[in-house]
Amino acid sequence: QNKRETLSHSLMMGAGHLIGRSVSVMDPQTQSPLTGVVQALRSRAGEFQVVINGTPYAGDSITEIR
């Protein structure tokens, strides 16, 4: 594993508590905040993602956790 994949894996392991929680992310397409419930966590191309309403968002786009 390269360093990026290892970091992404570590973030996912530590972010398991986010599943079922309400979070806000910055939508990269609209540049507007979006709030929803985290349905899943993913690692794509070495990057940690949260899935909200069926759409993956970069983990670093999370702006608030409720």
Side-chain angles (χ1 to χ4, degrees), residues 4 6 9 25 32 41 47-48 58 61-62:
R4 186 179 195 137
T6 300
H9 179 74
V25 296
S32 298
L41 304 175
E47 292 188 10
F48 162 68
S61 69
I62 296 172

Side-chain angles (χ1 to χ4, degrees), residues 14-34:
H17 70 280
L18 292 175
I19 295 175
R21 301 278 306 267
S22 178
V23 299
S24 295
V25 296
M26 186 61 66
D27 187 322
Q29 293 180 350
T30 64
Q31 295 302 309
S32 298
L34 175 129

Side-chain angles (χ1 to χ4, degrees), residues 9-10 14-15 23 25 38-39 42-43 45 49 51 53 55 63-64:
H9 179 74
S10 294
V23 299
V25 296
V38 176
Q39 299 167 310
R42 291 186 182 168
S43 178
Q49 298 177 330
V51 178
N53 299 327
T55 302
T63 58
E64 185 177 9

